[in-house]
Structures are given as C-alpha cells and as structure tokens.
Amino acid sequence: MAFLNLHREKLKQNFDYLKNLFEENEISWGVVSKLFCGNRAYLKELINLGVREIHDSRISNLAKVKEINPEIQTVYIKPASKRNIEKMVKYADVSLNSELTTIRWISEEAVKQDRKHKIIIMVETGDLREGVMGDHLIDFYAKIFELPNIQIVGLGTNLNCLNGVMPSADKLIQLSLYKQIIELKFNIEIPWVSAGTSVTIPLMLHQQLPKGVNHFRIGETLYFGVDLFEEKIIDGMNGDVFELYAEIIEMQEKPLLPSGALAANPQGEVIEIDESLYGKSSFRAILDIGLLDVDPKYLIPEDGEFEILGASSDMLILNLGLNPKGYKVGDLVKFNLKYMGALGIMNSSYVDKKVSG
C-alpha cells in the first residue's frame, strides 16, 4: 500500500534554520499548515517544534490546532465567507481581510462571542489576488478601525500566488509606507507589515528586504527547503522532508506502443504514436497510486533511470526499460514531491501518513 512519510528530524532542521534566520532579522513569523490538510499527527509534529503561530485556509484545521494546544495563535489566511464567520471567529485569533462588508460581519460576530478579533488588512501589490487597492486604503482603514471588538494588527500582501508576480524591495517599501501613513494620520500603531510567504525569503537572504517588513507566513520553504526565486534547495535546508512510497502491483514486459484504434483517454488526451517504437518493448510497472491521489507531474522519482508514462484514476505506470535494478512485484518505489504533489497526497484518504525520526 502506498504511504507518505514525514521525516521528523529533517523538518526540525528546516524549522531551526528559519527560526534562526527570522530571529537574526528581528522578524516574527507563523507557519502555514494547510499542506497537512488537518492531519492530527502531523500537526502535533509541527506544534512540538515550538511553533506558536499557525496559519491555515481551512477553519476545521484551525479547530484541530486549538484542540491540540489552545495557546497557539491561529490565523485564517483567506477571506472569510459569510456562512463561515461564526466558526472563523471561534477558532481563528487573526484573519486576513480585504472586504469592508466582511469585516463588519466579523465585528458583529466577535461582539456576540465576546472576543477580540485581530485583522491583517491585505493590500493589492500587483498579483491581482486578494487585496485593497492602495488608492483606497486610507478610506478603507477609516471605516473599520473603530469597529467594536476588532483590532487591526497589520498590513499584508500576497505575491506570486496567482499571476506569478514576484516580490521586490520596491513593492514591500510601498507596503511599509502605507503603514507609516496610516499610523500618522490616525495616531495609532500597526504592529505588523506581513510581507508574504516563502517566495519573499530570498530577499532576506540577499539583504534586500526593507527594514519595515517584520512578519512572514511560511509554508513551502519550511517543508521543501526551497528558494522560490532560483528553484533550488537553500544551503542548510532539506528538500526531502516528505517522501512518497508506492508499491509495484504489476510488473510485465510489454510493447512500447498500444495496439488498436485510438480515441481520447479518460483524461481527454489522445496518445501520439512514435512509429519508430513499433516492435520494441520494455518492462512496465504499475504502482498502487493514481490521479485520484496525485498529478504525476508533481512526482520526482528518486531513481532517475525510469520514466513515468502516465496514470489512470488509481494506478501509475512506469517505463523501467530493461529493469536494470531488478524491480519486482511488491517492491516500493520512492518519490520526492513538489508542493502541489504533497498537497494532493495529504488530501487523499487512500494514502497512509507516517512519521519517522
């Protein structure tokens, strides 16, 4: 049976690297846990590292965090829907917001629950996902800063999440300037400039992060050790915190090309035929994992000598060539994962989740 393994020690090494990096730069940060899809064992591993602030885009996942440790500060990281606000206020201490109407609803619910709810106002800086336009920010702030049971704790932004716009010193300086303008105009203090996600870390590594930025929301770099500017593993971090193992359930030598009339497969693809391959064969392995669990393009085979041919809903097909390593039925094949691959696996109830030291 296929299973996903989390390496506890490698996760700790990545966490300690980031913890030291942020402490050296006097920056507070929270860990984005949405990759875990609410898996209680994995959340406990995260909390045991010493994490004191956890961010997620699913309220049910934040509820599990509060069950494990009520002292963790929880942050809801997407705009709340009207029908979820009651639960969001109950389980999230902080939320990211960019809609005036929604913040008013949050204020009303926070009064009902007799809770103070913290808000990070999201500002549009070019990627065109969520965020208040800069020209409207002062007026927006004026309408919400006196709402009951609402505490505005930061200005934030998201980059590289929709259109691939990368963070820059200029964009983050502008965000810091918005904070200064609001503080002067309203005679208040906004504690955080929440610069973004893992994609912003390389600016810090290259001493290009504006000094006003003092809060991060980190997921991908913690779990995959990756520099998202250069798409490489950061020195001192691990790229293989997660490993997927899938079992070979069939091993046969078969022709390289299908036979018979061809139509679109269930994925809507029409296979192209390379006539030079007629009459040739190779060993093909079928693994006990498929599209229902993960898109093959997010899998990184540890053994670089075989080819992923494709997948159906429940099976992954490999071309092993002459099978020089002697794979056989029952053997496990190991893959590293890209972020979206790990997310698919974590969201699948058909793949076991394990932890090793």
Side-chain angles (χ1 to χ4, degrees):
M1 181 175 181
F3 65 90
L4 182 71
N5 185 60
L6 181 150
H7 283 276
R8 178 185 291 120
E9 186 57 33
K10 291 180 179 181
L11 179 63
K12 183 180 185 304
Q13 289 170 5
N14 283 3
F15 176 78
D16 289 343
Y17 178 97
L18 291 171
K19 181 174 181 287
N20 292 335
L21 178 66
F22 287 122
E23 285 178 353
E24 288 169 3
N25 289 274
E26 298 181 343
I27 290 173
S28 60
W29 64 301
V31 171
V32 179
S33 67
K34 65 181 180 180
L35 179 67
F36 290 174
C37 297
N39 183 283
R40 190 177 296 272
Y42 284 9
L43 286 172
K44 286 182 178 178
E45 293 293 330
L46 202 58
I47 291 169
N48 288 342
L49 292 172
V51 173
R52 290 295 172 261
E53 181 179 304
I54 289 182
H55 301 220
D56 211 297
S57 56
R58 298 286 188 258
I59 297 168
S60 59
N61 297 345
L62 295 179
K64 290 180 182 178
V65 171
K66 286 295 191 183
E67 289 172 9
I68 296 168
N69 186 342
E71 301 305 312
I72 298 288
Q73 176 162 266
T74 50
V75 184
Y76 187 60
I77 56 173
K78 73 175 183 181
S81 63
K82 181 179 181 180
R83 289 158 186 81
N84 275 336
I85 284 177
E86 180 180 355
K87 289 183 179 179
M88 192 277 290
V89 170
K90 181 177 180 180
Y91 294 114
D93 302 306
V94 189
S95 60
L96 278 52
N97 287 275
S98 54
E99 276 292 337
L100 177 61
T101 300
T102 302
I103 297 173
R104 286 174 172 157
W105 288 335
I106 293 171
S107 172
E108 292 170 3
E109 183 59 38
V111 170
K112 289 180 185 178
Q113 296 188 26
D114 192 25
R115 299 168 65 94
K116 179 75 74 172
H117 188 80
K118 301 173 186 176
I119 295 283
I120 297 174
I121 300 172
M122 298 302 286
V123 182
E124 177 59 62
T125 54
D127 199 47
L128 299 180
R129 206 177 73 169
E130 80 275 23
V132 179
M133 295 299 295
D135 292 347
H136 303 155
L137 185 58
I138 300 298
D139 183 57
F140 184 91
Y141 186 90
K143 292 176 180 176
I144 65 173
F145 90 106
E146 289 185 342
L147 288 174
N149 292 50
I150 294 292
Q151 179 185 359
I152 300 167
V153 296
L155 299 182
T157 194
N158 261 318
L159 288 160
N160 195 241
C161 288
L162 179 63
N163 288 303
V165 175
M166 300 298 281
S168 66
D170 287 345
K171 288 183 179 296
L172 301 182
I173 287 170
Q174 184 62 57
L175 189 64
S176 298
L177 287 174
Y178 287 142
K179 171 183 179 289
Q180 294 174 29
I181 291 168
I182 289 173
E183 287 179 331
L184 288 171
K185 183 173 180 61
F186 294 92
N187 192 30
I188 51 85
E189 180 181 354
I190 299 177
W192 288 344
V193 173
S194 191
T197 56
S198 294
V199 74
T200 314
I201 287 177
L203 293 181
M204 190 183 339
L205 293 174
H206 294 94
Q207 288 80 50
Q208 295 175 349
L209 188 72
K211 288 191 176 297
V213 173
N214 61 3
H215 183 262
F216 273 64
R217 313 180 303 275
I218 300 299
E220 188 165 358
T221 297
L222 172 62
Y223 306 123
F224 298 93
V226 65
D227 175 332
L228 292 173
F229 266 68
E230 299 186 17
E231 293 293 334
K232 67 178 186 179
I233 304 302
I234 296 170
D235 289 342
M237 300 194 77
N238 301 292
D240 55 351
V241 170
F242 289 101
E243 292 173 336
L244 172 67
Y245 293 84
E247 184 177 324
I248 297 175
I249 55 177
E250 180 187 295
M251 169 70 73
Q252 300 282 342
E253 186 175 3
K254 294 186 179 183
L256 286 173
L257 294 180
S259 60
L262 294 178
N265 64 19
Q267 291 79 54
E269 304 164 335
V270 178
I271 303 300
E272 294 184 8
I273 297 297
D274 181 352
E275 295 185 358
S276 69
L277 299 179
Y278 274 122
K280 297 181 180 180
S281 64
S282 71
F283 285 90
R284 296 164 69 98
I286 299 178
L287 305 185
D288 63 337
I289 196 165
L291 291 171
L292 190 61
D293 312 295
V294 65
D295 189 322
K297 69 183 178 183
Y298 299 124
L299 298 176
I300 306 169
E302 184 185 57
D303 182 350
E305 296 183 11
F306 63 71
E307 175 189 8
I308 298 176
L309 292 175
S312 61
S313 58
D314 299 298
M315 291 180 275
L316 184 72
I317 317 301
L318 306 182
N319 175 7
L320 301 180
L322 298 177
N323 192 19
K325 295 189 177 178
Y327 287 107
K328 59 186 182 299
V329 171
D331 285 349
L332 292 172
V333 180
K334 181 179 173 183
F335 299 87
N336 291 325
L337 296 160
K338 298 181 181 179
Y339 181 91
M340 293 304 294
L343 187 63
I345 294 292
M346 286 301 307
N347 199 42
S348 173
S349 59
Y350 304 109
V351 179
D352 281 351
K353 315 301 187 297
K354 300 183 179 182
V355 178
S356 67

